[in-house]
């Protein structure tokens, strides 16, 4: 391809040069120096704890045959491990544009490695005097990025904690929404006097979150004013009525006006929502899949569903909007979901609005000024060809008005696995998740935000958890504050790479005219771009899929062959007509020259497409004037020509690629 590989007048970002170990391990000296320094530091810490204690392992111990035998076994296994790990996926390379993984940010990686030998357990401050606070602070850092109140001195401050990943964070969102929704019903059932309680169960189950939280506060205040014996009696009485105590079956049997609530998720939602519905005992039947247009939640369809549920008196636990879908990277209209909730609220049907931003959460840095305020669309757009669309800007601007958000530091936060995060806008609801029912006794202590959350284990779905991961998130956020001037450099580079990728796809389409049809099925909302391909002349979906599978075989990890034989890594996903809807399906098939009647046959109920996650900041390598995006398209063009020839000659030969 002859197009100019690099965008003109692009100043080089030298900060990015220091962020990662680098595709070639360029920053090895920096990381090595840090690691050696902090390992020594750790050893001094041990030695200085009680220097009067003599070394327990003798200086001659290392010469004993048993010691030597152990050491040699350990070395052997470690060498084997190290050798085997060479088959790992080369996430660090700009040739890797497959799944949601890339290089790791040095400040986070170093902080995590530095913390590991101290082994803090963030289940509580007893086991993690330092890193529990860091986790709570990291939650506040994320809250600020997302537009939630983040001043812990204010009563209505957000709260966030880390999880093993987005899956558990989504689960926590369900748990919290259910606790808050069902609590006013329990207060009614317990017949707490003096409180102004909703008139019936339906109203109690449909209180707006803010009113539910206000009621919880009033109840806590009322309890504090009771004598200790009375207080215990009332706590026990309310606890007996809570959904967490009774279980779903008994709770809904006791309240015949209520049904198990629905969870509204777009059809594109991650399968963690299915897991969550099962785990919470709601059942997958309660997941109501909302149709999409262009793979973005269809707000009209959402409104119709809500109106129907209001008429049927079918309650709703939460509506989920996805900010950066796992398969197509699309961004749901969060503003429209909030507007639909307003409308529904007037019809007496209320629910939580949660944003699954496991993938796209850190893109919010692009929209934040250093002072935390929101950048307008024109400001953001100055750096890009088309990003952000007005719809995308409106979605990010609306984040602050939602109730809770999932965001994965181990995805677009470029940190090691084991770091998801759950953030809720008003931390006071968290009291309902506390494992100990005596939460209300800490009248004064609850005032101190940081003190309260040092018992993290009370609130989180997990128990023991890594304090090292929390240190990594906290330190990374300190080194790269979550605004457009700092952390935003990373998503900025990748969104620009995605724009270059789309331009490259258009050129590929021209270049392959007469050989294959090439289509970007949805204009990307951020840095995930899909590509649909079909050999010219083929009209059958099954043959198109065979062709794409053969192409993907060249782009995927094959543990039986050396990594170096692969030129590039991409991933694959599929387009299902039931998710796409008839109009979009027709549009895409038509553009590819595929006959719609061939869709739905055995083995062709969906169309396979390539999926590219553009996370690597060095996709456009300014040092050497290389665009890996252009190289990828050159590679693709060459492989498509070979495979398309096979596909048109003898259809079955395509799999041999
Ligand atoms: C990745 C992802 C999840 C699940 O997160 P894990 O960290 O893999 O548990 C949930 N939702 C979306 C949108 C995701 O992209």
């Amino acid at each position: 391809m002859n197009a100019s590989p690099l965008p003109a007048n692009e100043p080089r970002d030298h900060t990015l040069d220091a962020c990662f170990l680098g595709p070639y391990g360029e920053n090895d000296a920096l990381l090595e120096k840090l690691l050696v320094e902090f390992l020594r530091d750790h050893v001094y810490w041990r030695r200085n704890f009680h220097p009067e204690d003599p070394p327990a392992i003798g200086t001659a111990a290392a010469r004993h045959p048993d010691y030597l035998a152990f050491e040699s076994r350990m070395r052997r296994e470690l060498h084997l491990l190290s050798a085997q790990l060479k088959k790992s996926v080369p996430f660090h390379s700009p040739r890797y544009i497959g799944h949601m993984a890339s290089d790791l940010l040095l400040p986070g990686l170093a902080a995590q490695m530095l913390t590991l030998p101290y082994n803090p357990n963030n289940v509580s401050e007893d086991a993690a005097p330092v890193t529990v606070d860091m986790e709570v602070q990291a939650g506040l850092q994320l809250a600020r990025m997302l537009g939630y109140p983040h001043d812990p001195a204010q009563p209505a401050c957000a709260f966030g904690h880390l999880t093993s990943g987005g899956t558990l964070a989504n689960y926590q969102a369900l748990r919290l929404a259910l606790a808050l929704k069902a609590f006013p019903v329990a207060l009614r059932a317990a017949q707490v006097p003096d409180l102004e309680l909703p008139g019936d169960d339906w109203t109690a189950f449909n209180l707006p979150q803010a009113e539910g939280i206000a009621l919880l506060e009033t109840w806590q205040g009322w309890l504090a004013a009771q004598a200790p014996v009375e207080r215990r009696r009332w706590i026990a009485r309310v606890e007996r009525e809570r959904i967490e105590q009774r279980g779903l079956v008994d709770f809904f049997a006791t309240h015949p006006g209520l049904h198990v609530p629905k969870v509204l998720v777009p059809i594109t939602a991650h399968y963690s929502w299915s897991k969550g519905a099962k785990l919470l005992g709601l059942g997958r039947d309660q997941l109501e899949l909302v149709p999409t247009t262009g793979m973005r939640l269809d707000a009209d369809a959402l409104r119709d569903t809500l109106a129907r549920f209001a008429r049927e008196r079918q309650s709703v636990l939460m509506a989920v909007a996805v900010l950066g879908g796992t398969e197509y990277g699309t961004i749901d209209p969060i503003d429209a979901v909030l507007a639909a909730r307003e409308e529904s609220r007037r019809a007496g049907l209320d629910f939580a609005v949660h944003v699954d931003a496991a993938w796209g959460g850190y893109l919010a840095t692009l929209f934040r000024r250093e002072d935390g305020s929101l950048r307008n669309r024109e400001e953001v757009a100055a750096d890009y060809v088309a990003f952000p669309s007005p719809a995308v800007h409106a979605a990010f601007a609306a984040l602050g008005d939602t109730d809770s958000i999932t965001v994965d530091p181990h995805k677009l936060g470029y940190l090691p696995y084991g770091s998801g995060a759950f953030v809720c806008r008003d931390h006071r609801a968290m009291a309902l998740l506390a494992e100990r029912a005596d939460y209300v006794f800490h009248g004064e202590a609850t005032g101190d935000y940081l003190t309260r959350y040092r018992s993290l284990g009370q609130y989180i779905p997990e128990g023991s958890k890594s304090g090292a991961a929390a240190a990594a998130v906290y330190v990374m956020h300190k080194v790269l504050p979550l605004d457009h001037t700092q952390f935003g450099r990373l998503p900025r580079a990748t969104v620009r790479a995605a724009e270059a990728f789309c331009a490259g796809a258009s050129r590929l389409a021209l270049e392959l005219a007469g050989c294959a049809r090439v289509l970007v099925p949805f204009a990307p909302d951020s840095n995930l771009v899909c590509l649909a391909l079909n050999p010219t002349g083929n009209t059958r979906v099954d043959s198109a899929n065979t062709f794409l599978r053969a192409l993907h075989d060249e782009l995927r990890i094959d543990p039986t062959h050396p990594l170096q034989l692969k030129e590039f890594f991409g991933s694959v996903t599929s387009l299902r007509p039931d998710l796409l809807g008839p109009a979009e399906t027709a549009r895409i098939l038509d553009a590819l020259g595929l006959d719609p009647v061939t869709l739905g046959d055995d083995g062709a109920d969906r169309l396979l497409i390539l999926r590219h996650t553009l996370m690597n900041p060095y996709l456009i390598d300014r040092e050497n004037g290389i665009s890996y995006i252009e190289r990828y398209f050159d590679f693709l063009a060459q492989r498509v020509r070979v495979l398309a020839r096979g596909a048109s000659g003898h259809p079955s030969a395509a799999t041999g690629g």
Side-chain angles (χ1 to χ4, degrees):
M1 233 171 277
N2 300 320
S4 122
L6 301 182
N9 313 324
E10 170 91 4
R12 173 132 180 217
D13 188 337
H14 294 279
T15 302
L16 283 184
D17 288 344
C19 281
F20 298 96
L21 180 54
Y24 190 76
E26 293 90 334
N27 289 319
D28 60 337
L30 177 56
L31 181 60
E32 192 175 311
K33 192 160 161 284
L34 291 172
L35 291 182
V36 170
E37 193 177 312
F38 290 121
L39 178 63
R40 287 184 180 150
D41 210 30
H42 175 80
V43 171
Y44 298 149
W45 176 71
R46 291 189 176 203
R47 290 180 183 174
N48 289 320
F49 175 53
H50 273 286
E52 72 275 21
D53 296 347
I57 303 165
T59 45
R63 289 196 295 272
H64 192 277
D66 291 352
Y67 185 111
L68 293 170
F70 176 89
E71 183 187 334
S72 69
R73 279 205 308 281
M74 178 165 74
R75 278 185 184 282
R76 180 185 151 75
E77 290 306 324
L78 288 174
H79 282 299
L80 286 174
L81 170 67
S82 181
Q84 280 179 301
L85 286 173
K86 302 301 177 291
K87 290 183 188 166
S88 296
V89 186
F91 294 136
H92 61 275
S93 167
R95 290 171 182 267
Y96 184 83
I97 48 177
H99 294 286
M100 297 170 156
S102 184
D103 209 347
L104 299 170
L105 275 168
L106 277 183
L109 180 63
Q112 189 146 345
M113 291 169 106
L114 151 62
T115 311
L116 276 176
Y118 297 87
N119 199 27
N121 178 355
N122 270 20
V123 73
S124 80
E125 65 176 327
D126 284 352
V130 178
T131 50
V132 155
D133 275 349
M134 290 182 172
E135 178 159 347
V136 178
Q137 294 289 355
L140 293 169
Q141 292 165 328
L142 289 171
R144 183 181 193 270
M145 170 183 88
L146 299 165
Y148 282 170
H150 54 272
D151 175 4
Q154 300 301 316
C157 180
F159 169 71
H161 63 80
L162 302 179
T163 55
S164 63
T167 300
L168 262 275
N170 285 343
Y171 177 63
Q172 181 76 329
L174 287 171
R175 236 171 44 114
L176 183 62
L178 185 63
L180 193 51
K181 197 169 184 54
F183 187 66
V185 179
L187 284 181
R188 267 178 50 78
Q191 301 182 321
V192 180
D194 308 331
L195 299 193
E196 228 180 276
L197 295 172
D200 56 55
D201 277 353
W202 174 259
T203 315
F205 207 47
N206 281 285
L207 275 194
Q209 281 218 350
E211 290 177 37
I213 291 169
L215 190 56
L216 171 63
E217 292 252 288
T218 315
W219 149 251
Q220 286 169 329
W222 182 85
L223 274 178
Q226 308 302 308
V229 176
E230 279 296 286
R231 190 187 299 152
R232 268 197 294 280
R233 193 168 73 80
W234 278 107
I235 288 176
R237 194 156 151 173
V238 169
E239 284 300 310
R240 266 201 303 278
E241 298 297 340
R242 288 189 55 190
I243 199 165
E244 289 81 1
Q245 182 67 31
R246 308 196 73 137
L248 295 187
V249 174
D250 199 41
F251 182 86
F252 287 104
T254 321
H255 301 283
L258 304 177
H259 299 289
V260 182
K262 299 276 185 185
V263 178
L264 276 58
V265 299
I267 244 158
T268 45
H270 188 264
Y271 66 128
S272 53
W273 291 102
S274 158
K275 291 184 184 175
K278 291 193 282 185
L279 195 55
L280 205 57
L282 296 169
R284 286 220 307 235
D285 278 354
Q286 269 44 259
L287 276 190
E288 182 77 19
L289 300 182
V290 182
T292 52
T293 46
M295 291 301 175
R296 293 152 185 104
L297 182 140
D298 179 343
D300 289 335
L302 174 67
R303 274 199 297 274
D304 290 348
T305 306
L306 289 171
R308 174 162 59 84
F309 284 158
R311 278 197 306 277
E312 294 169 356
R313 288 219 152 197
Q314 166 61 60
S315 50
V316 171
L317 178 59
M318 69 164 44
V320 177
V322 180
L323 188 102
T326 318
E327 297 305 318
Y328 317 105
T330 41
I331 288 172
D332 287 339
I334 295 164
D335 48 322
V337 174
L338 287 166
R341 191 212 1 220
E342 273 308 309
E343 204 173 295
S344 179
R345 194 169 265 175
R346 287 196 289 277
L349 182 76
D350 209 324
F351 50 87
V353 171
H354 176 80
V355 179
D356 184 354
W359 168 247
Y362 279 90
L363 293 171
T365 54
L366 295 173
F367 297 84
R368 270 305 134 212
R369 298 199 186 99
E370 285 165 281
D371 67 3
S373 60
L374 191 76
R375 303 174 81 201
N376 61 40
R377 195 181 88 81
E378 290 65 36
E379 261 175 286
V380 182
D383 285 337
Y384 311 93
V385 180
F387 179 86
S389 69
V392 164
H393 185 271
F396 280 92
L399 278 178
D401 294 324
T402 62
D403 297 306
S404 54
I405 301 176
T406 289
V407 47
D408 270 357
H410 68 203
K411 281 186 181 164
L412 269 183
Y414 297 84
L415 291 181
Y417 284 115
S419 266
F422 170 76
V423 191
C424 62
R425 195 189 50 212
D426 189 332
H427 81 102
R428 292 171 296 181
M430 292 300 294
L432 291 173
L433 292 186
E435 195 54 27
R436 271 195 325 254
D438 61 353
Y439 60 93
V440 272
F441 283 144
H442 305 287
E444 306 82 70
T446 48
D448 182 352
Y449 183 97
L450 283 177
T451 308
R452 171 196 292 210
Y453 293 116
R454 279 187 194 134
S455 317
L456 259 186
Q458 289 290 317
Y459 304 96
I460 57 176
E462 291 116 324
S464 297
K465 67 202 286 276
S466 163
V473 178
Y474 174 78
V475 168
M476 186 277 274
H477 290 172
K478 290 295 266 189
V479 178
L480 283 173
L482 302 176
D483 60 58
H484 80 101
T485 66
Q486 294 297 331
F487 187 93
R489 295 161 187 275
L490 279 165
R492 177 174 171 277
T494 66
V495 172
R496 292 173 71 111
E499 292 192 331
F501 192 94
C502 284
S506 305
R507 288 195 293 274
L508 181 73
L510 290 178
E511 191 180 324
L512 288 179
C515 171
R517 301 214 200 184
V518 180
L519 175 73
V520 173
F522 317 104
D525 281 336
S526 58
N527 49 11
L528 207 152
V529 191
C530 294
L531 210 55
L533 294 119
N534 181 39
T536 306
N538 172 52
T539 59
R540 296 191 53 83
V541 170
D542 57 356
S543 311
N545 286 347
T546 305
F547 170 78
L548 200 104
R549 226 175 266 119
L551 194 55
H552 179 237
D553 277 344
E554 310 207 4
L555 295 169
R556 67 199 243 175
I557 279 284
D558 172 1
T560 61
H561 285 86
L563 211 54
Q564 289 77 3
L565 294 180
K566 295 285 173 179
E567 291 292 325
F568 285 92
F569 291 88
S571 61
V572 76
T573 186
S574 62
L575 293 176
R576 281 166 50 189
D578 52 332
L579 304 197
L580 267 178
E584 285 285 285
T585 307
R587 172 180 69 82
I588 290 169
L589 292 189
D590 182 59
L592 292 170
L594 290 168
D595 183 349
V597 303
T598 65
L599 188 66
D601 296 357
D602 259 2
D605 63 337
R606 58 193 65 191
L607 178 71
L608 296 182
I609 58 175
L610 293 179
R611 168 177 171 270
H612 310 92
T613 311
L614 303 164
M615 268 184 90
N616 196 294
Y618 311 108
L619 281 167
I620 296 169
D621 166 4
R622 293 181 199 292
E623 179 74 16
N624 305 294
I626 296 172
S627 164
Y628 285 92
I629 294 168
E630 295 301 324
R631 291 198 170 177
Y632 174 66
F633 281 118
D634 288 344
F635 170 75
L636 216 52
Q638 182 230 335
R639 296 316 303 159
V640 166
R641 282 207 186 86
V642 171
L643 291 170
R645 219 175 296 136
S648 56
H650 1 233
S652 61
T655 42

